[in-house]
Amino acid sequence: MKTGKLLSTLAYTALLMSCNTQKDPMDAYIDELMSKMTIQEKIGQLNQQVAGDIMTGSEQDTEITELLRNGEIGSVLNVKGVDRVKAIQKIAVEESRLGIPLIVGMDVIHGYETVFPIPLGLAATWDIEGIEESAHIAAKEASANGVAWTFSPMGDICVDPRWGRQAEGAGEDPFLGSRVAEAMVRGYQGNNYENEDNIMACIKHFALYGAAEAGRDYNTVDMSHLRMYNEYFDPYKAAVEAGAGSVMTSFNIVDGLPATSNKWLVTDVLRNQWGFDGFVVTDYASIDEMEKHGISDKQHNAALALKAGTDMDMVARAFVETLEKSLNEGLVSQSDIDTACRRVLEAKYKLGLFDNPYKYCDEAKAQNSTYLPEYREVARRLTQESFVLLKNEGNILPLKKQGTVALIGPMSESNGDIVGTWCVASDPTKYNNVREGLEKALEGKAKVLCTQGCNFVDDPYVQTATRTLVPFIDKEQGKREAMDIARKADVIICAMGEDAWMSGEGSSRSDIEMPAPQRELLAALKTLGKPIVLLNFAGRATAIKWESENIPAIMQVWYGSECADALADVLFGDAVPQGKLTVSMPQSVGQLPLYYNYLNTGRPVGEGADRYLNFTSNYIDVRNDALYPFGYGLSYTTFEYSDITLSANEMTANGSLTAKVTITNTGEYDGVEIAQLYIHDLQASICRPVKELKGFKRVALKKGESKDVEFEITPDLLKFYNSDLQYVLEPGMFDLMIGTNSSNKALKKASFEVK
Ligand code: NOJ
């Protein structure tokens, strides 16, 4: 039974109509509904507003009750709590003329209350099934708490980690980014929305938001179409092909036009080329921001956005305030408004909200479905999998559960920062901080001494501006306390790096090295000559050359509600690290942008060149290589790769071939290796990257065990967009590389020809 005042009869009429005219029941239902809607009600469906909780831009919450009653709101975002969602929904359904339900959205980007590592960390697991599972758990918790729609995944490729939102995506690679994006869509949406655990995904930020110049958030993007198609579009497209129900436009400009009003992007590429049939929402107030981009005034900007194919206006109130006037003045047509309205109503229909607007508002379910032990178990496992061991000199790790451990650094006792950036629904009162995690694991076996030791950054204003609750302490006193406990300890663990808000939206950094106060303390601790393990908490690739030269063990940590327990598991050997970087970690910020899948210049210096070479493409003061390359990560054990065996040295344009290696666990622990396949097209009509990831496999190997690992090379893996933007496979020679990370020295190589 459909709901709402007039809607109870609608279902029946629609059913009759669909029987009489063979119409699709959804079309019939929406036709009937729209025939009853006033122009104001139609425009109301295109309006999304905050409902008082979270605001990230300049827009303020308004008294929404009246607007809901008037049918002026089609969606609200970021309201936490099933009771609050239900109250808002009730007004829309029971007090507005047509009783059209709201679609309630939220940024559930790496979990609801059970918080997984930040998306960049989830990607570092390369565990596609695990990532899908994490998204499904997020959907279960969010849906039980009133949320029908998540603004995730983020498909933005980012090769410049100065951009703080590198944290929210899968990193620098389009192939891996695509696998992650589609897995998240599957996890959120399932096969259909009949299951009330499933919610609608929203692939964002369309498009190219991660290519902001100089990594400064919201900055200009300017890029060739060739590069868009070959390097940046894939994750969005993969999410669309996986069935993502919605797309969010980005804040940046593309080809000189704000993405929100870029018809080529939103209609030609997204809908016409990729076949997207869901609805498009703007990013936060981005129609208003068009004025600052220098396009036009609110009314004209709103008309441009609608005509470009954007359907819903996130919080700018530009549609609701101007579209009727624009209709009267001929700036937009009735059919522009109807099309957008229909798309929004279709989403609501598909989600089953007309059948039951309270589908996601069951208070009892909310209580029994949030932060459950079984969800936390999955989060703990994925968090263990996400850590990337960068260095382990002298096999300091794993540590023994004995003696005295000194835990030092501003991340040591911060329950607020442990989840990382942008978890709207997280509840820090429920999570352990690092000290609590270590104490629990070491209880009765070893002693933990702990102190903050230093500030995140030297400037108290900046430390507060990032919203961390870690106090700003006196530098000298902090250092004294740190040195004092370090002297009493057998091993020093430093929990340092970025607080939760030093990455994420609006958190660009021009210097991505370890901030000065933390590095100074590390240097002081080093003088004690004791084993030091650095836990580098980061929401991006950071530049830790000094640390890699001076600290014997370093592990990259990507936050999460279960991070403290997962850290204890890995530090003390109950779990073995297996994560691999999905971003290149630079030696210095001056190398940026830095990515493994670059195009050769005509004067390449060659990977691994160990000194400056005049008149070749390199720097005087730093080598071209990453400090830690894409795909890199150590284990407590070691793996050896055999040479590659190819099933054939040639393949046809319709054929395929198989590449096989044998991987052996040659170390002392059971472990998991992430084997990576790269391809280099040696002869093509346009310049092609020196290597591109085209496959990967997670391989569990017991100590001493060997396994054969096979990759099938299909034409699809070899295709690219040529200068006419046609997707082609060109004949010629290809190099194929398989190994443990993207650097040449870590890869076995073979060649084949496409005839
Ligand atoms: C702005 C962000 O860019 C976007 O990712 C997010 O979904 C919206 N705000 C809503 O919070």
Side-chain angles (χ1 to χ4, degrees):
M1 239 272 287
K2 312 285 173 189
T3 56
K5 285 182 185 160
L6 298 182
L7 295 185
S8 42
T9 52
L10 272 182
Y12 182 66
T13 325
L15 189 71
L16 277 184
M17 279 181 54
S18 71
C19 293
N20 292 340
T21 62
Q22 301 292 328
K23 255 196 195 169
D24 172 84
M26 177 173 80
D27 291 344
Y29 184 81
I30 291 173
D31 284 348
E32 179 67 9
L33 174 55
M34 285 182 63
S35 72
K36 298 195 160 48
M37 291 171 83
T38 62
I39 186 69
Q40 293 84 3
E41 283 164 337
K42 287 178 179 171
I43 295 171
Q45 287 304 305
L46 315 184
N47 180 36
Q48 183 186 53
Q49 293 202 201
V50 286
D53 263 11
I54 311 280
M55 279 164 275
T56 55
S58 55
E59 298 303 312
Q60 290 302 306
D61 181 25
T62 50
E63 181 42 71
I64 65 162
T65 310
E66 224 23 61
L67 304 174
L68 288 168
R69 285 195 188 114
N70 294 342
E72 285 183 48
I73 298 182
S75 171
V76 293
L77 78 155
N78 289 346
V79 182
K80 188 179 178 191
V82 67
D83 42 344
R84 301 189 59 208
V85 172
K86 195 169 184 178
I88 295 170
Q89 189 69 292
K90 207 160 182 284
I91 302 171
V93 172
E94 292 175 25
E95 299 180 34
S96 73
R97 192 177 77 91
L98 290 172
I100 300 174
L102 297 165
I103 175 169
V104 178
M106 186 185 257
D107 287 293
V108 184
I109 73 162
H110 55 119
Y112 187 82
E113 272 194 17
T114 304
V115 184
F116 298 90
I118 55 169
L120 186 63
L122 269 176
T125 66
W126 301 59
D127 180 352
I128 298 301
E129 277 171 26
I131 292 170
E132 181 173 336
E133 196 180 358
S134 79
H136 191 52
I137 289 172
K140 282 190 197 173
E141 288 194 5
S143 61
N145 284 279
V147 176
W149 178 28
T150 176
F151 308 122
S152 171
M154 181 182 104
D156 305 320
I157 296 294
C158 174
V159 295
D160 189 335
R162 287 175 294 182
W163 193 53
R165 303 195 76 173
Q166 190 177 63
E168 295 180 47
E172 74 189 37
D173 184 72
F175 182 86
L176 179 65
S178 300
R179 304 296 77 77
V180 171
E182 62 200 14
M184 292 185 87
V185 171
R186 285 195 303 267
Y188 292 132
Q189 297 192 166
N191 292 331
N192 56 52
Y193 303 119
E194 267 157 41
N195 182 335
E196 61 189 25
D197 289 341
N198 295 339
I199 60 177
M200 185 172 280
C202 181
I203 179 75
K204 67 189 187 184
H205 305 82
F206 193 61
L208 317 177
Y209 182 33
E213 276 180 8
R216 181 158 52 76
D217 206 1
Y218 318 117
N219 204 6
T220 297
V221 172
D222 195 5
M223 178 186 295
S224 70
H225 284 204
L226 199 62
R227 190 166 220 177
M228 293 179 198
Y229 277 88
N230 278 320
E231 296 169 35
Y232 281 78
F233 276 171
D234 275 3
Y236 311 117
K237 183 165 181 266
V240 166
E241 285 170 357
S246 64
V247 171
M248 186 187 293
T249 60
S250 54
F251 287 126
N252 54 280
I253 62 168
V254 173
D255 288 338
L257 277 181
T260 299
S261 64
N262 189 318
K263 184 164 176 301
W264 174 74
L265 265 186
V266 180
T267 296
D268 297 355
V269 175
L270 182 65
R271 294 191 190 279
N272 298 343
Q273 291 175 20
W274 299 351
F276 175 67
D277 67 352
F279 77 100
V280 174
V281 62
T282 73
D283 202 348
Y284 205 99
S286 58
I287 300 183
D288 272 350
E289 294 182 10
M290 286 172 65
E291 200 165 335
K292 303 227 174 66
H293 281 296
I295 300 298
S296 189
D297 58 21
K298 190 165 192 152
Q299 182 189 354
H300 287 84
N301 290 336
L304 286 170
L306 185 78
K307 288 199 90 64
T310 298
D311 306 302
M312 186 182 276
D313 165 10
M314 185 187 280
V315 311
R317 290 187 53 79
F319 281 176
V320 84
E321 285 171 11
T322 69
L323 282 187
E324 194 182 350
K325 184 163 183 271
S326 291
L327 177 65
N328 296 334
E329 293 172 5
L331 286 176
V332 300
S333 66
Q334 180 71 47
S335 105
D336 293 330
I337 294 172
D338 283 355
T339 304
C341 176
R342 178 175 294 275
R343 290 184 188 133
V344 172
L345 294 175
E346 280 177 358
K348 294 180 179 185
Y349 185 98
K350 288 179 192 159
L351 281 163
L353 290 169
F354 287 112
D355 276 325
N356 178 9
Y358 304 111
K359 177 180 168 192
Y360 297 108
C361 296
D362 174 346
E363 282 97 336
K365 189 175 172 210
Q367 289 238 321
N368 302 327
S369 311
T370 312
Y371 203 50
L372 300 185
E374 58 265 38
Y375 298 165
R376 295 179 57 197
E377 257 321 295
V378 178
R380 182 166 172 168
R381 173 174 59 77
L382 286 167
T383 313
Q384 294 164 359
E385 287 181 16
S386 74
F387 300 140
V388 182
L389 183 62
L390 298 176
K391 185 177 174 193
N392 194 16
E393 196 174 280
N395 292 331
I396 292 187
L397 291 173
L399 301 171
K400 296 204 170 56
K401 291 183 182 171
Q402 65 185 37
T404 302
V405 174
L407 174 65
I408 296 168
M411 275 304 297
S412 303
E413 293 187 281
S414 178
N415 304 67
D417 290 288
I418 198 81
V419 287
T421 193
W422 207 229
C423 327
V424 174
S426 64
D427 180 356
T429 62
K430 294 185 175 163
Y431 315 137
N432 282 334
N433 60 41
V434 181
R435 174 182 55 75
E436 290 160 339
L438 297 196
E439 280 174 352
K440 194 156 54 126
L442 297 179
E443 199 179 342
K445 297 179 186 130
K447 194 164 159 189
V448 179
L449 305 173
C450 180
T451 188
Q452 181 180 327
C454 63
N455 296 305
F456 280 109
V457 289
D458 264 334
D459 182 340
Y461 167 76
V462 173
Q463 179 147 325
T464 322
T466 68
R467 287 180 266 180
T468 179
L469 295 177
V470 172
F472 196 83
I473 58 171
D474 178 77
K475 194 168 177 173
E476 285 313 312
Q477 192 183 336
K479 181 174 166 192
R480 261 197 312 279
E481 286 168 6
M483 297 301 277
D484 188 37
I485 66 163
R487 279 192 195 94
K488 296 179 188 142
D490 302 300
V491 60
I492 303 166
I493 300 177
C494 293
M496 294 186 173
E498 299 187 320
D499 70 45
W501 292 94
M502 282 173 75
S503 65
E505 188 178 348
S507 295
S508 300
R509 293 176 66 194
S510 74
D511 176 357
I512 55 170
E513 294 192 14
M514 184 65 82
Q518 303 190 63
R519 176 166 302 163
E520 283 163 25
L521 185 57
L522 278 171
L525 291 167
K526 189 190 167 200
T527 63
L528 299 177
K530 302 200 176 191
I532 304 182
V533 179
L534 170 61
L535 305 176
N536 186 36
F537 283 81
R540 50 160 61 83
T542 49
I544 52 167
K545 189 156 193 270
W546 182 91
E547 289 70 21
S548 83
E549 286 166 356
N550 289 280
I551 304 297
I554 306 175
M555 193 158 74
Q556 202 68 11
V557 181
W558 316 102
Y559 315 86
S561 61
E562 312 312 304
C563 186
D565 289 336
L567 273 173
D569 297 335
V570 171
L571 287 171
F572 296 98
D574 294 325
V576 171
Q578 36 183 285
K580 304 244 190 184
L581 295 174
T582 64
V583 281
S584 305
M585 289 185 66
Q587 306 188 55
S588 81
V589 81
Q591 291 179 296
L592 301 178
L594 183 70
Y595 45 97
Y596 81 93
N597 46 355
Y598 57 88
L599 303 175
N600 245 344
T601 66
R603 296 186 178 195
V605 70
E607 193 183 294
D610 61 358
R611 67 199 162 88
Y612 165 63
L613 286 174
N614 204 350
F615 301 116
T616 60
S617 182
N618 68 157
Y619 302 98
I620 292 174
D621 52 352
V622 67
R623 304 287 54 79
N624 287 354
D625 304 324
L627 178 65
Y628 297 110
F630 176 86
Y632 177 88
L634 303 172
S635 170
Y636 293 155
T637 190
T638 45
F639 301 102
E640 257 178 44
Y641 283 67
S642 71
D643 286 336
I644 300 171
T645 313
L646 291 182
S647 61
N649 293 322
E650 293 177 359
M651 72 180 251
T652 59
N654 303 318
S656 69
L657 58 82
T658 306
K660 188 177 88 179
V661 290
T662 307
I663 307 178
T664 306
N665 180 340
T666 49
E668 296 303 316
Y669 292 81
D670 298 348
V672 172
E673 167 66 338
I674 297 159
Q676 300 155 40
L677 165 77
Y678 297 90
I679 294 216
H680 181 189
D681 186 344
L682 295 163
Q683 299 158 328
S685 59
I686 57 165
C687 307
R688 302 292 297 131
V690 292
K691 56 177 81 90
E692 289 179 296
L693 183 77
K694 291 294 175 183
F696 55 90
K697 292 214 164 128
R698 288 169 52 80
V699 191
L701 288 164
K702 300 230 171 288
K703 180 177 154 183
E705 191 184 8
S706 293
K707 274 187 191 161
D708 289 346
V709 176
E710 287 192 357
F711 291 97
E712 200 194 351
I713 315 301
T714 58
D716 252 3
L717 295 184
L718 311 177
K719 286 185 178 169
F720 61 90
Y721 290 90
N722 67 15
S723 25
D724 296 325
L725 297 182
Q726 292 158 331
Y727 193 50
V728 293
L729 170 64
E730 292 181 352
M733 291 303 297
F734 290 80
D735 277 347
L736 175 153
M737 296 151 269
I738 300 177
T740 187
N741 67 59
S742 67
S743 70
N744 281 346
K745 60 181 184 297
L747 293 167
K748 300 286 181 182
K749 193 157 124 187
S751 301
F752 65 94
E753 186 174 2
V754 172
K755 291 272 189 186

